[in-house]
Every structure is written in structure tokens, then in C-alpha cells.
Amino acid sequence: MMASYPCAVFPEEIDPFVESIRQYQVADIGSKGWIEQHEVLQKLCQQAFIEASTKQEEMVKERLILEDKVPLLIHELYSVLVWRTEVLPRLLALKSPDATFVLYSVIYHEANICSLLETILYHRTSCEALGSTALDLIDYCAQAISRLIGLLANGYNDREDDPPPEELLNESTSEEIVRMGRGMDFRIGIKCLGVVSYLVEGLQLLPLSAATRLVRVHDFPCLIAEILHTKPWLRRNREGVFEKYRNASWFPAYGDAVLKVTETEAQTWFCLYRLLFDAELMRDYEINGYRHREIGKCVGLLNEQLLDQLPALIPLKQHLCTLQLTKENVSTASASSSLLLEEWPEIREQLLQAARRIGWQRIVEQQRKIFIDLEDHDVAEMAKRIGAAYNTDLLEKYTEQEEQGRKKSEAGSQSDAKVCGNCGASAAKKCSNCLFVFYCSR
């Protein structure tokens, strides 16, 4: 008997939903058709997550590939990115918006598509379906990861993403939108680490120019090395308790759980492994003094606790130790690139050209009525539609089950250390209900 699972999209709805996806220009963002597509992509993202997490047949992924809609997802990513950088600041300069959730829905749209891509690109067939848009996606991921590094360098994980209540009460609407944007940049950057790891794994299925953009244009080995040092998946909260980032949320980590490798951390390590052990990539990658230092310093992170959890990285540590013994001025790259003809990403430039033909000021005036000067009935209708699309009840069921299983596993590993499951202090009393977690008091 087959198991029955809840669904965000009924099976008969998947085909028409996927077929309805089309390109929207920057000027179209916020229109009725765009909002409808935003709802469709939100539901497809939820359904794809449910299918992947419950090991069902992944119908959303299959239909996206069959209908050749995967490249359209990259176009939608850039459409919102251009809107955020060019239109949103102009809108906020006019006056404070009456309702921030409408603007937030556009910002969230970008993260939503990243989530969908992260889910489907696990399969090599999805990487192949990208075609030439893989170059645009590589550029997008490089920018997103660079923004993530910038956020962390400016202390984002030092409680900036979780400001105290008094600061939230006193912040203006524009400040709230900026804070939301930083939160989305962090979330998107984390997801792009997973996306890049899948692209590197399926590099042979991508255009020839993809290798050039990975190592020559964006220097992903150094970019990944920097991320491994900044550790965006780990932070301390206001109480000083360590927290780990999993499933787009922060969870407390006590005792040995701080050393437990997260999924994103493991993906990032294996991404660096595949980059450095790909002979074709490294043939055109010059190990100069800067790269020698940046990549070589990852040796210190490959400690015993990490290698016990990821023993496949032992060859990487040996390779990095060998790299440290070589002279910094020794180049490992060939004298010239073997690639004579190179493809270039086009989506962002096409979107900018289309928007400039209309004019930024004209776009701002058109969208002012959508995002800034909203009538009360418009706000109520938009809130109802977006609230229906953001149905998180289904997703919470699976993430809660996964988190409960993880906590039991971590509690079992902490039982020898006898660390309090509440405050992290030394503990002697075991919970009489689950028989896993220790507590320091009643």
C-alpha cells in the first residue's frame, strides 16, 4: 500500500502551473500576472520540497525540465535582483510605504526561486537543462556569496539579524525594508552555496565556458575558502549560546553539537574538494601568492572532529598540506587558455536594456501605486492572496520531524558529557519522558 502525503499542489495542477511560467520584465513586477506567477512558484517550491524530503517521484522537477522552464527560473532571479538594486531604492526615496509586506513579497520571491533551484539541481538532469543560462547562474551565485561574505565581515551574524525589541519598535519603514533585504541576502547566499556545489558536481554537463567563469572570472576556489573561514552557519545569540543554521532557521547547539557538521558546511567543503581535484579546471588556474595563502589556510579547519564526520576529505587535507610546502611563486596554470570561443551571460544585460528603454522614472511611477500608495482594500486583498500562497503548515510538519530526529541524535551524543539541554551547563538529571536529554534542574 502506497503512503499518502499532504501536498501543496495537487498532481493534476502541476502541469498547468509549470506551463504558465513565463518571463516578466522589471517593469512588470507587482502586476496582477506577476503576483499570480509569484503564487504559482511559491506552491511549486513547497511541492518540490515535499517530494524531495519524502522521497516521492519528483514531478515538479520532471515537468520543469520537460517544459524547458528551468532557464526561466534564472531569468526570474535576475528580474528581481535588478528590481532590488535599481527600482526599490527609488521607490523608498519617494516616501515610506503604507504596507511593507507587499515589498517583502518581491524580495522573498528571489529567495523562493533559489530554494526551488537548490531542490531540483540536486539531479544532474536539471543541471543539463540549464543550458547557456548556467553561466548566468554562476554569475548570480558569485554575487550572492560575495554579498554573504560582506554581511559577515560587517558583523551580520553578531546579532544584527536578531535585533532587540526596542530597536525594532524604533526603526522606520525604510530601515525595516533594508533589514529584510539583508536577511534575504543572507538566506540567498546560503542557498547559493548548495547550488554551486551541484553545478560543480555536474560541470561536465554545463557549457564549456562554465569552467572559465568558475575559476578565471570569479575565482571560486578562493571564494569558497573565504566562506569556510567565515562560517556563516555558526553564531552566538544574545545569551551567548551557540546556534547552527539548518533549514533556514537557527537552532541552539550545546556541547559537542557545536562541532556537528551542517548540511551546508559539508556541501561547501565538498565543493572546494571537487574544484581542486578537477584536472581540467586546475589546468587553467594559476596558483599565485594570494591564492596560495587563501586556499592553504583551510588546512587548519580540517581538524580531527571534522574529518571523523567527513572522512572523504582526508585527501583534501593531504593536498592542501602539499600545497603549503610548495613555493608561492610557482604557477600551476598553462600559459594560455585552451578556450578560443567563449559564451557570455546575457540575462542581466537584457533586463537592464529593456528597463532603460522604458525609463527608470516611468517604472517607478507605475509601481508607486502598487508598492507605496496602496488603498486599504488593495492591502487586504494582497494580504489574503499572499497569505494563502505562504502556506507553511505543510513544510513545518516535515522540518519539525527532521529537527526532532536531529535533536534526539545530538542528545544521545551529549549523554556522556551530561550537558544541560536548556542552558548548556553541567547536568546530572535525565529527562524522565524522552530519556535522552539531561537537565541541571527541574
Side-chain angles (χ1 to χ4, degrees):
M1 182 177 178
M2 295 182 62
S4 176
Y5 299 102
C7 58
V9 180
F10 291 112
E12 61 271 16
E13 292 179 319
I14 293 178
D15 282 2
F17 275 12
V18 171
E19 291 172 3
S20 69
I21 300 174
R22 68 179 185 87
Q23 291 185 0
Y24 278 94
Q25 298 298 321
V26 177
D28 299 324
I29 291 179
S31 64
K32 182 179 178 181
W34 187 91
I35 291 294
E36 290 175 352
Q37 180 155 300
H38 171 67
E39 296 170 0
V40 164
L41 288 172
Q42 172 68 18
K43 292 177 180 178
L44 288 176
C45 179
Q46 293 175 350
Q47 181 63 24
F49 173 81
I50 292 172
E51 290 173 351
S53 61
T54 56
K55 297 180 174 60
Q56 300 180 57
E57 182 181 0
E58 298 187 36
M59 293 298 299
V60 173
K61 182 261 298 181
E62 294 295 338
R63 296 307 302 177
L64 286 170
I65 295 174
L66 187 62
E67 298 293 336
D68 195 25
K69 298 294 185 178
V70 179
L72 288 181
L73 298 179
I74 315 304
H75 183 278
E76 286 298 288
L77 274 181
Y78 272 101
S79 178
V80 177
L81 178 61
V82 171
W83 182 89
R84 284 178 60 189
T85 55
E86 299 291 343
V87 179
L88 181 58
R90 290 177 167 90
L91 285 171
L92 295 179
L94 296 176
K95 69 171 224 181
S96 294
D98 296 329
T100 58
F101 72 89
V102 183
L103 286 168
Y104 183 74
S105 66
V106 181
I107 299 172
Y108 183 80
H109 186 72
E110 189 178 349
N112 183 49
I113 298 176
C114 279
S115 297
L116 181 55
L117 285 169
E118 185 185 25
T119 301
I120 66 174
L121 288 177
Y122 173 82
H123 302 275
R124 294 170 68 88
T125 52
S126 300
C127 292
E128 189 174 14
L130 285 168
S132 61
T133 59
L135 306 177
D136 298 271
L137 183 56
I138 290 172
D139 281 15
Y140 177 87
C141 289
Q143 295 173 33
I145 295 172
S146 298
R147 289 198 302 270
L148 175 61
I149 293 173
L151 283 174
L152 298 171
N154 290 322
Y156 178 80
N157 267 5
D158 299 334
R159 307 178 186 87
E160 183 184 331
D161 59 329
D162 187 23
E166 56 270 18
E167 288 187 15
L168 293 176
L169 289 173
N170 295 326
E171 73 176 358
S172 65
T173 306
S174 297
E175 291 172 340
E176 180 186 358
I177 293 295
V178 172
R179 177 173 56 82
M180 289 176 177
R182 285 198 297 264
M184 280 299 131
D185 281 338
F186 178 85
R187 183 173 177 177
I188 290 168
I190 291 289
K191 291 185 181 301
C192 282
L193 291 174
V195 171
V196 167
S197 70
Y198 298 141
L199 293 177
V200 173
E201 187 177 2
L203 188 58
Q204 295 177 344
L205 303 174
L206 303 182
L208 292 174
S209 300
T212 302
R213 300 203 75 76
L214 280 170
V215 296
R216 280 181 172 265
V217 178
H218 296 299
D219 196 357
F220 263 95
C222 281
L223 203 59
I224 296 299
E226 183 63 27
I227 278 290
L228 289 169
H229 274 272
T230 55
K231 298 181 179 179
W233 42 77
L234 179 66
R235 73 172 186 182
R236 282 182 184 266
N237 61 20
R238 284 198 296 271
E239 289 72 32
V241 176
F242 280 109
E243 292 182 328
K244 289 274 191 170
Y245 191 78
R246 289 188 178 91
N247 295 324
S249 299
W250 290 100
F251 297 97
Y254 302 111
D256 292 340
V258 176
L259 302 175
K260 189 174 178 65
V261 177
T262 66
E263 296 83 355
T264 303
E265 185 178 3
Q267 282 182 318
T268 308
W269 273 113
F270 283 115
C271 183
L272 181 64
Y273 180 95
R274 295 187 189 101
L275 285 169
L276 296 182
F277 279 80
D278 189 311
E280 292 294 324
L281 282 178
M282 291 298 103
R283 188 177 60 188
D284 291 331
Y285 188 67
E286 179 186 356
I287 304 293
N288 54 30
Y290 169 76
R291 291 167 175 169
H292 186 279
R293 292 189 299 272
E294 287 299 306
I295 299 173
K297 67 183 182 182
C298 290
V299 174
L301 300 175
L302 289 164
N303 51 44
E304 184 179 348
Q305 293 83 0
L306 178 67
L307 294 177
D308 283 344
Q309 298 175 72
L310 303 174
L313 294 179
I314 293 176
L316 176 61
K317 183 170 185 178
Q318 295 170 344
H319 177 74
L320 293 178
C321 288
T322 303
L323 182 65
Q324 284 189 322
L325 295 175
T326 61
K327 294 182 179 180
E328 292 186 8
N329 59 356
V330 174
S331 173
T332 62
S334 58
S336 62
S337 174
S338 59
L339 188 62
L340 299 178
L341 296 176
E342 182 179 351
E343 292 183 81
W344 285 85
E346 299 177 343
I347 294 178
R348 185 176 185 274
E349 191 58 36
Q350 289 174 351
L351 285 164
L352 286 171
Q353 289 177 1
R356 288 169 184 150
R357 283 195 295 267
I358 298 173
W360 296 116
Q361 192 58 39
R362 184 177 176 185
I363 293 175
V364 169
E365 288 301 321
Q366 290 174 350
Q367 297 188 354
R368 176 172 184 160
K369 297 178 181 179
I370 300 174
F371 297 110
I372 303 297
D373 300 327
L374 283 168
E375 300 291 339
D376 291 340
H377 62 86
D378 293 330
V379 174
E381 182 182 353
M382 189 75 73
K384 184 178 180 180
R385 293 189 62 175
I386 293 176
Y390 295 172
N391 180 16
T392 58
D393 294 342
L394 293 172
L395 303 184
E396 287 178 358
K397 175 182 178 181
Y398 300 109
T399 54
E400 285 176 2
Q401 288 177 350
E402 182 179 346
E403 187 59 25
Q404 287 173 2
R406 183 188 63 80
K407 285 182 178 178
K408 285 184 179 181
S409 174
E410 291 181 358
S413 65
Q414 295 171 18
S415 58
D416 295 335
K418 296 184 179 180
V419 176
C420 177
N422 182 46
C423 66
S426 178
K429 298 182 182 296
K430 184 184 291 186
C431 175
S432 60
N433 184 26
C434 70
L435 300 179
F436 280 104
V437 184
F438 283 81
Y439 291 100
C440 62
S441 65
R442 297 179 70 86

